[in-house]
Amino acid sequence: MPATIICVGMAGSGKTTFMQRLNSHLHQKKTPPYVVNLDPAVLKVPFGCNIDIRDSINYKKVMENYNLGPNGAIVTSLNLFSTKIDQVLEIIKKRSGDFKHCIVDTPGQIECFVWSASGSIITEAFATENPTVLAYIIDTPRSSSPTTFMSNMLYACSILYKTKLPMIVVFNKTDVRSADFAKEWMTDFEAFQDSLRTNAELNDETSNGSGYMGSLINSMSLMLEEFYSTLDVVSTSAYTGEGFDDFLDAVDKKVDEYNEFYQKERERVIAEKKEKEKREKERQLSHLMKDLGIKDKQKKKQTDEKAEKGERENVDVLSDIEDEIEQDEKDGYEHGLIDLESSEREYTFQEDRNGELRDDANASEVAKSIKDRYQQAFEATAKTASSDIAADIAKYINGQ
């Protein structure tokens, strides 16, 4: 199966130039790759693309139609493209016999791809179909400061644990400055401490090795020691082509690592997710059947057998309802039922049900007074109604 290489990195780290040199290097080896461009805002791509997001999505139109800024338009473009990722994978799958590597270029705004929902969908889709490796591109000259170097390492660590995919740290632009200092900092804690101390002693405006920043960087460098051991580090120069054979060797190593460890872990996670969805569907179906009063075939068969034997059919009792309520509460549902046994409120009524009993001594007199007033009102109304009816009858007779 072809290996997928997703190139990510900070803006200005040289991702697109790295992609161009990698594409050229693979063509020289007579193993041309399958190239995918996912940067909708780039004006010119220095390599030929098999699939280009710009062919299906107009970045400027997205900005105008949705009233978005540059980063918002990039995220929206990726969201639109991710809805068709299944078709993209189908195209790549049909051509998979013609290439050994599929290289993917991502937007310069790394956060728009790594931390967006569409970026996760695209990355996981590639990882599901083929062995996938992340190439994290670092600008070597700008990482000569211990503070900037630590920032890059923390970002690489977060991406590794976010994507859960094999990663290769690529120190690019080694034609400007060698990456030996960075490799030494990753393997020798004391060397990094010495460089941090020296940087602090310079006491210039670029120094960040003292005070709270220095304490933080010291702690981080000690914690990331185990993280460094899981990474493959490669030095390359997209300008001269140096180090790309080492990079391809690291890719082959990471593909084997993917097949041995990462694929099994992803299959386990996918299986757990499917099992969880299955249990949730069964639980919802069970509640629906209870709501509709539907019984399964086995229970109906048992009921029919009992009816033939003359046994009484089981009916729902209060204990059954309480069992269901208890199970629902465990699942997170709430019930507002009143516990009648523990209720402290009591109601007492007279035997003739004329009103609620009162404890005061004048209760009987008050009740009698109210009864007399109702009786007087009834008699007065009855007399008025009777006189009106008699007058109407007399008028009717005289009229005839």
Side-chain angles (χ1 to χ4, degrees):
M1 297 178 65
T4 301
I5 305 171
I6 301 178
C7 298
V8 296
M10 299 290 186
S13 60
K15 293 185 302 300
T16 304
T17 310
F18 177 86
M19 283 276 298
Q20 185 272 335
R21 177 60 67 175
L22 179 61
N23 181 35
S24 175
H25 188 78
L26 290 173
H27 273 279
Q28 288 180 357
K29 289 181 169 293
K30 307 300 181 182
T31 56
Y34 199 85
V35 184
V36 180
N37 174 45
L38 295 181
D39 189 354
V42 65
L43 297 178
K44 184 178 180 181
V45 178
F47 49 82
C49 298
N50 298 96
I51 296 177
D52 195 336
I53 188 175
R54 298 176 301 167
D55 294 337
S56 55
I57 297 172
N58 190 323
Y59 171 74
K60 291 185 178 180
K61 287 294 183 180
V62 171
M63 292 182 66
E64 294 175 2
N65 294 339
Y66 297 97
N67 297 322
L68 297 172
N71 287 355
I74 291 175
V75 173
T76 304
S77 299
L78 289 172
N79 291 341
L80 296 172
F81 187 78
S82 64
T83 60
K84 303 295 183 182
I85 190 62
D86 55 335
Q87 300 179 12
V88 174
L89 294 177
E90 187 65 26
I91 295 173
I92 296 175
K93 186 177 180 180
K94 290 180 180 179
R95 298 285 308 278
S96 60
D98 301 334
F99 57 89
K100 293 176 59 178
H101 300 90
C102 175
I103 56 179
V104 182
D105 192 17
T106 58
Q109 290 75 5
I110 185 173
E111 68 279 359
C112 295
F113 180 80
V114 174
W115 301 112
S116 64
S118 55
S120 299
I121 292 172
I122 293 172
T123 303
E124 292 179 3
F126 276 112
T128 303
E129 293 293 329
N130 301 316
T132 304
V133 178
L134 289 176
Y136 182 67
I137 315 299
I138 296 177
D139 188 344
T140 305
R142 293 186 178 274
S143 299
S144 57
S145 169
T147 306
T148 309
F149 171 81
M150 187 55 58
S151 300
N152 272 299
M153 291 298 104
L154 289 175
Y155 220 113
C157 181
S158 63
I159 294 173
L160 176 65
Y161 288 103
K162 172 71 167 57
T163 59
K164 297 182 177 62
L165 292 172
M167 175 181 286
I168 302 174
V169 175
V170 181
F171 286 97
N172 195 22
K173 303 182 182 180
T174 54
D175 56 293
V176 179
R177 178 164 184 174
S178 175
D180 294 338
F181 72 94
K183 294 180 180 179
E184 183 182 9
W185 287 352
M186 296 177 69
T187 55
D188 190 349
F189 173 76
E190 293 182 356
F192 181 78
Q193 294 293 316
D194 293 338
S195 299
L196 183 63
R197 197 177 303 109
T198 303
N199 191 49
E201 291 174 354
L202 293 177
N203 195 22
D204 57 12
E205 57 185 19
T206 61
S207 174
N208 293 309
S210 60
Y212 292 111
M213 181 63 74
S215 176
L216 176 63
I217 294 175
N218 279 327
S219 302
M220 290 298 179
S221 62
L222 187 61
M223 292 176 60
L224 292 178
E225 187 175 0
E226 184 177 355
F227 167 69
Y228 295 149
S229 62
T230 62
L231 294 176
D232 279 5
V233 182
V234 178
S235 302
T236 63
S237 173
Y239 181 73
T240 63
E242 179 186 0
F244 278 85
D245 287 330
D246 296 336
F247 174 76
L248 292 176
D249 292 338
V251 169
D252 294 337
K253 180 180 177 181
K254 288 299 181 181
V255 168
D256 295 336
E257 182 178 333
Y258 175 91
N259 294 328
E260 185 176 357
F261 299 106
Y262 286 85
Q263 187 175 16
K264 294 180 181 179
E265 178 66 16
R266 293 186 68 83
E267 290 176 353
R268 184 188 66 80
V269 171
I270 292 173
E272 286 184 357
K273 186 177 180 181
K274 289 182 178 180
E275 183 64 24
K276 185 177 179 180
E277 292 177 352
K278 181 180 178 181
R279 290 197 303 267
E280 180 65 19
K281 288 181 180 179
E282 291 177 352
R283 189 184 67 81
Q284 293 179 0
L285 180 61
S286 176
H287 277 286
L288 179 61
M289 293 177 67
K290 288 180 181 179
D291 293 341
L292 297 177
I294 301 174
K295 300 179 180 179
D296 55 6
K297 294 182 179 180
Q298 184 177 1
K299 187 174 180 180
K300 187 175 184 303
K301 183 179 180 181
Q302 293 175 355
T303 304
D304 294 340
E305 291 177 354
K306 289 182 179 180
E308 292 177 359
K309 294 179 181 179
E311 298 179 2
R312 183 182 177 186
E313 183 180 358
N314 292 332
V315 296
D316 292 335
V317 295
L318 186 60
S319 60
D320 296 333
I321 298 175
E322 291 176 349
D323 292 339
E324 293 180 5
I325 292 174
E326 182 179 357
Q327 181 62 37
D328 288 343
E329 289 177 348
K330 289 181 180 179
D331 295 336
Y333 294 95
E334 296 182 357
H335 293 274
L337 300 182
I338 300 174
D339 188 358
L340 298 179
E341 295 182 358
S342 61
S343 177
E344 298 179 355
R345 185 170 181 179
E346 297 181 358
Y347 294 90
T348 54
F349 299 91
Q350 291 179 344
E351 293 182 359
D352 58 358
R353 304 185 67 81
N354 286 331
E356 189 174 356
L357 288 179
R358 297 173 59 183
D359 295 334
D360 58 310
N362 298 325
S364 60
E365 296 180 3
V366 172
K368 183 178 179 181
S369 176
I370 294 173
K371 184 176 181 179
D372 293 341
R373 290 167 61 185
Y374 273 111
Q375 184 65 30
Q376 293 174 4
F378 173 74
E379 290 176 356
T381 304
K383 290 179 181 180
T384 304
S386 300
S387 61
D388 292 341
I389 293 172
D392 292 339
I393 293 173
K395 290 179 180 179
Y396 179 76
I397 294 172
N398 295 331
Q400 286 183 344

